[in-house]
Amino acid sequence: MSTTHHTKALVIGSGPAGCTAAIYAARANLEPIMVRGLQPGGQLTITTDVENYPGFAETIQGPWLMEQMEAQAAHVGTKIIDDIITEADLSVRPFRFKGDSGDVYTCDVAIISTGASARWLGLPSEEAFMGMGVSACATCDGFFYRGKEVAVIGGGNTAVEEALYLTNHATKVTLIHRRDELRSEKILQTRLFKNPKVEVIWDTVLEEVLGNQAGPALALGGSTTPPGVTGLRLRNVKTNAESTINVDGAFIAIGHSPNTDIFKGQVDMDDSGYILTKPGTPMTSVPGVFACGDVQDHTYQQAVTAAGTGCMAALDAERYVAELESEATAAE
């Protein structure tokens, strides 16, 4: 049997943006509900070592960090529900949402923090080595490849920017693109081609990520081989010739897709589906609806920036609710 939940502030998504919004909303006595979503904890839950989140001198684990954020949100009073919002109606007041469970959620303000998902190639070997040498975020994981060789898959701005960033750490970066020319901006291409650490392999696709997944014992000595990526099997799209290259890591850089399908036609978005917000704020085109984190940020896409916009969304939500209550009191 379905249940209807009402709250002053509904937080949709539980990554760094959502958890931070929930923490601030709870401390503002908005009694928020946070619906965890399809990927509770967001993209950090598929990231292992995290060294760039402020406040931790030692390396921490992404899943652990999100567990702590969620626990903090619960501690200050957030009601956390394990559900997925599948329908949204922003044309009514209070706003109305439906979950995959069948439950209905209504709220005075909605904070959208559903994030963005990295696009993947869909290879079984790619999935097998996620977090063990396969990544979709150079700024998150590039530091771990100091003095090593890596590959970047893609040909747009994302791929070229990732490749250039990785040259700050890796000894060699191989960019693998399925066409014979890049789709990125010309200024980025110029920088890429001038960098002595970069090699480009044209007309080529990734067929398989190679490596040691389980760390089986070696034949002699009884030691184990550390798990991780050791190379890539490639295929030339024009000749079908296959080849292998040795790398320590592979970065899939074919872009991100914001998780905004259920909001299409209800809030303003750009051509890529990212929610548009008023410059310098998390305010969307619908009063009382706020967006924070990667769902409206296609530039930085970092946990710390997502958390910052989550804070902003909650603070603006608090002001909006206060205005509603003031108007209601004046009308009595």
Side-chain angles (χ1 to χ4, degrees), residues 236-265:
N236 185 288
V237 296
K238 292 183 176 179
T239 66
N240 280 328
E242 292 192 351
S243 61
T244 60
I245 61 171
N246 296 324
V247 294
D248 301 293
F251 290 81
I252 312 301
I254 55 177
H256 288 76
S257 297
N259 302 318
T260 56
D261 285 350
I262 64 171
F263 304 107
K264 286 182 177 176

Short mmCIF file of all heavy atoms in Angstrom, two decimals, residues 236-265:
data_model
loop_
_atom_site.label_atom_id
_atom_site.label_comp_id
_atom_site.label_asym_id
_atom_site.label_seq_id
_atom_site.Cartn_x
_atom_site.Cartn_y
_atom_site.Cartn_z
N ASN A 236 41.40 -1.32 -35.07
CA ASN A 236 41.32 -0.26 -36.07
C ASN A 236 40.01 -0.41 -36.84
O ASN A 236 39.72 -1.47 -37.38
CB ASN A 236 42.51 -0.33 -37.03
CG ASN A 236 42.53 0.84 -38.00
OD1 ASN A 236 41.73 0.93 -38.91
ND2 ASN A 236 43.49 1.74 -37.80
N VAL A 237 39.20 0.65 -36.87
CA VAL A 237 37.87 0.55 -37.47
C VAL A 237 37.92 0.47 -39.00
O VAL A 237 36.95 0.05 -39.63
CB VAL A 237 36.99 1.74 -37.05
CG1 VAL A 237 36.74 1.72 -35.56
CG2 VAL A 237 37.60 3.07 -37.48
N LYS A 238 39.04 0.84 -39.60
CA LYS A 238 39.15 0.80 -41.06
C LYS A 238 39.72 -0.52 -41.56
O LYS A 238 39.32 -1.02 -42.61
CB LYS A 238 40.01 1.97 -41.55
CG LYS A 238 39.35 3.33 -41.35
CD LYS A 238 40.20 4.45 -41.93
CE LYS A 238 39.47 5.78 -41.80
NZ LYS A 238 40.28 6.92 -42.33
N THR A 239 40.64 -1.08 -40.81
CA THR A 239 41.29 -2.32 -41.25
C THR A 239 40.88 -3.53 -40.45
O THR A 239 41.16 -4.66 -40.84
CB THR A 239 42.81 -2.18 -41.17
OG1 THR A 239 43.20 -2.04 -39.79
CG2 THR A 239 43.29 -0.95 -41.96
N ASN A 240 40.24 -3.30 -39.29
CA ASN A 240 39.88 -4.36 -38.34
C ASN A 240 41.10 -5.03 -37.71
O ASN A 240 40.97 -6.04 -37.00
CB ASN A 240 38.98 -5.43 -38.97
CG ASN A 240 37.54 -4.99 -39.02
OD1 ASN A 240 37.07 -4.25 -38.15
ND2 ASN A 240 36.82 -5.42 -40.05
N ALA A 241 42.28 -4.48 -37.95
CA ALA A 241 43.49 -5.03 -37.34
C ALA A 241 43.46 -4.76 -35.83
O ALA A 241 43.10 -3.67 -35.39
CB ALA A 241 44.73 -4.40 -37.96
N GLU A 242 43.85 -5.76 -35.06
CA GLU A 242 43.88 -5.61 -33.61
C GLU A 242 45.30 -5.42 -33.11
O GLU A 242 46.26 -5.89 -33.73
CB GLU A 242 43.24 -6.83 -32.94
CG GLU A 242 41.74 -6.95 -33.18
CD GLU A 242 41.09 -7.97 -32.27
OE1 GLU A 242 41.82 -8.71 -31.58
OE2 GLU A 242 39.83 -8.02 -32.24
N SER A 243 45.41 -4.72 -32.00
CA SER A 243 46.72 -4.48 -31.39
C SER A 243 46.52 -4.32 -29.90
O SER A 243 45.39 -4.17 -29.41
CB SER A 243 47.37 -3.22 -31.98
OG SER A 243 46.55 -2.09 -31.73
N THR A 244 47.60 -4.36 -29.16
CA THR A 244 47.54 -4.14 -27.72
C THR A 244 48.57 -3.09 -27.33
O THR A 244 49.62 -2.96 -27.97
CB THR A 244 47.80 -5.43 -26.92
OG1 THR A 244 49.11 -5.91 -27.24
CG2 THR A 244 46.75 -6.48 -27.23
N ILE A 245 48.24 -2.32 -26.31
CA ILE A 245 49.19 -1.36 -25.75
C ILE A 245 49.25 -1.58 -24.24
O ILE A 245 48.27 -2.03 -23.63
CB ILE A 245 48.82 0.10 -26.05
CG1 ILE A 245 47.45 0.45 -25.45
CG2 ILE A 245 48.82 0.37 -27.55
CD1 ILE A 245 47.13 1.94 -25.53
N ASN A 246 50.40 -1.31 -23.67
CA ASN A 246 50.57 -1.45 -22.23
C ASN A 246 50.27 -0.11 -21.55
O ASN A 246 50.88 0.91 -21.87
CB ASN A 246 51.99 -1.89 -21.90
CG ASN A 246 52.31 -3.27 -22.45
OD1 ASN A 246 51.45 -4.15 -22.47
ND2 ASN A 246 53.54 -3.46 -22.92
N VAL A 247 49.32 -0.11 -20.62
CA VAL A 247 49.00 1.07 -19.83
C VAL A 247 48.67 0.63 -18.41
O VAL A 247 48.31 -0.52 -18.17
CB VAL A 247 47.81 1.88 -20.41
CG1 VAL A 247 48.16 2.48 -21.76
CG2 VAL A 247 46.57 1.02 -20.50
N ASP A 248 48.78 1.57 -17.48
CA ASP A 248 48.44 1.30 -16.09
C ASP A 248 47.03 1.75 -15.74
O ASP A 248 46.50 1.36 -14.69
CB ASP A 248 49.44 2.00 -15.17
CG ASP A 248 50.87 1.54 -15.42
OD1 ASP A 248 51.15 0.37 -15.14
OD2 ASP A 248 51.67 2.36 -15.91
N GLY A 249 46.44 2.57 -16.61
CA GLY A 249 45.09 3.05 -16.35
C GLY A 249 44.41 3.49 -17.62
O GLY A 249 45.07 3.87 -18.59
N ALA A 250 43.08 3.42 -17.62
CA ALA A 250 42.30 3.83 -18.78
C ALA A 250 41.19 4.78 -18.31
O ALA A 250 40.43 4.46 -17.39
CB ALA A 250 41.69 2.63 -19.48
N PHE A 251 41.12 5.94 -18.95
CA PHE A 251 40.11 6.93 -18.60
C PHE A 251 39.10 7.03 -19.73
O PHE A 251 39.44 7.38 -20.87
CB PHE A 251 40.77 8.29 -18.35
CG PHE A 251 41.58 8.32 -17.08
CD1 PHE A 251 42.88 7.81 -17.05
CD2 PHE A 251 41.04 8.82 -15.91
CE1 PHE A 251 43.62 7.82 -15.88
CE2 PHE A 251 41.77 8.83 -14.73
CZ PHE A 251 43.06 8.32 -14.72
N ILE A 252 37.86 6.70 -19.43
CA ILE A 252 36.79 6.77 -20.41
C ILE A 252 36.24 8.19 -20.39
O ILE A 252 35.69 8.63 -19.38
CB ILE A 252 35.66 5.75 -20.10
CG1 ILE A 252 36.27 4.37 -19.81
CG2 ILE A 252 34.67 5.71 -21.25
CD1 ILE A 252 37.09 3.79 -20.93
N ALA A 253 36.40 8.91 -21.48
CA ALA A 253 36.06 10.33 -21.52
C ALA A 253 35.15 10.63 -22.69
O ALA A 253 35.50 11.36 -23.62
CB ALA A 253 37.34 11.17 -21.58
N ILE A 254 33.98 10.04 -22.65
CA ILE A 254 33.01 10.26 -23.73
C ILE A 254 31.82 11.07 -23.23
O ILE A 254 30.74 11.06 -23.82
CB ILE A 254 32.55 8.92 -24.34
CG1 ILE A 254 32.00 7.98 -23.26
CG2 ILE A 254 33.71 8.25 -25.07
CD1 ILE A 254 31.45 6.66 -23.83
N GLY A 255 32.03 11.79 -22.12
CA GLY A 255 31.03 12.73 -21.63
C GLY A 255 30.19 12.20 -20.48
O GLY A 255 30.33 11.06 -20.05
N HIS A 256 29.32 13.06 -19.97
CA HIS A 256 28.38 12.73 -18.91
C HIS A 256 26.96 13.04 -19.37
O HIS A 256 26.74 13.87 -20.25
CB HIS A 256 28.68 13.55 -17.65
CG HIS A 256 29.91 13.12 -16.93
ND1 HIS A 256 31.18 13.43 -17.38
CD2 HIS A 256 30.09 12.41 -15.78
CE1 HIS A 256 32.08 12.93 -16.55
NE2 HIS A 256 31.44 12.31 -15.57
N SER A 257 26.02 12.38 -18.75
CA SER A 257 24.60 12.64 -19.02
C SER A 257 23.93 13.02 -17.70
O SER A 257 23.95 12.22 -16.75
CB SER A 257 23.92 11.41 -19.61
OG SER A 257 24.48 11.06 -20.85
N PRO A 258 23.35 14.22 -17.61
CA PRO A 258 22.67 14.61 -16.37
C PRO A 258 21.41 13.76 -16.19
O PRO A 258 20.72 13.43 -17.16
CB PRO A 258 22.33 16.08 -16.61
CG PRO A 258 22.25 16.21 -18.09
CD PRO A 258 23.28 15.26 -18.65
N ASN A 259 21.11 13.43 -14.95
CA ASN A 259 19.94 12.60 -14.65
C ASN A 259 18.73 13.50 -14.46
O ASN A 259 18.27 13.75 -13.34
CB ASN A 259 20.22 11.77 -13.39
CG ASN A 259 21.44 10.89 -13.54
OD1 ASN A 259 21.65 10.28 -14.58
ND2 ASN A 259 22.27 10.84 -12.51
N THR A 260 18.21 13.98 -15.59
CA THR A 260 17.14 14.98 -15.54
C THR A 260 15.91 14.61 -16.36
O THR A 260 15.04 15.45 -16.58
CB THR A 260 17.67 16.34 -16.04
OG1 THR A 260 18.21 16.18 -17.38
CG2 THR A 260 18.75 16.88 -15.13
N ASP A 261 15.83 13.38 -16.82
CA ASP A 261 14.74 13.02 -17.73
C ASP A 261 13.36 13.33 -17.18
O ASP A 261 12.48 13.80 -17.91
CB ASP A 261 14.82 11.53 -18.09
CG ASP A 261 15.95 11.23 -19.07
OD1 ASP A 261 16.53 12.20 -19.61
OD2 ASP A 261 16.25 10.04 -19.29
N ILE A 262 13.13 13.08 -15.88
CA ILE A 262 11.78 13.27 -15.34
C ILE A 262 11.41 14.74 -15.19
O ILE A 262 10.24 15.06 -14.94
CB ILE A 262 11.61 12.55 -13.98
CG1 ILE A 262 12.54 13.15 -12.92
CG2 ILE A 262 11.83 11.06 -14.13
CD1 ILE A 262 12.26 12.62 -11.52
N PHE A 263 12.39 15.63 -15.38
CA PHE A 263 12.11 17.06 -15.24
C PHE A 263 12.02 17.79 -16.58
O PHE A 263 11.78 18.99 -16.61
CB PHE A 263 13.19 17.72 -14.37
CG PHE A 263 13.35 17.10 -13.02
CD1 PHE A 263 14.47 16.32 -12.73
CD2 PHE A 263 12.39 17.24 -12.05
CE1 PHE A 263 14.62 15.72 -11.49
CE2 PHE A 263 12.52 16.65 -10.80
CZ PHE A 263 13.63 15.88 -10.53
N LYS A 264 12.21 17.05 -17.66
CA LYS A 264 12.18 17.69 -18.99
C LYS A 264 10.80 18.28 -19.26
O LYS A 264 9.78 17.67 -18.98
CB LYS A 264 12.54 16.67 -20.06
CG LYS A 264 14.03 16.33 -20.07
CD LYS A 264 14.40 15.35 -21.17
CE LYS A 264 15.91 15.10 -21.18
NZ LYS A 264 16.31 14.09 -22.18
N GLY A 265 10.82 19.51 -19.78
CA GLY A 265 9.58 20.20 -20.06
C GLY A 265 8.99 20.91 -18.86
O GLY A 265 7.95 21.58 -18.98
#
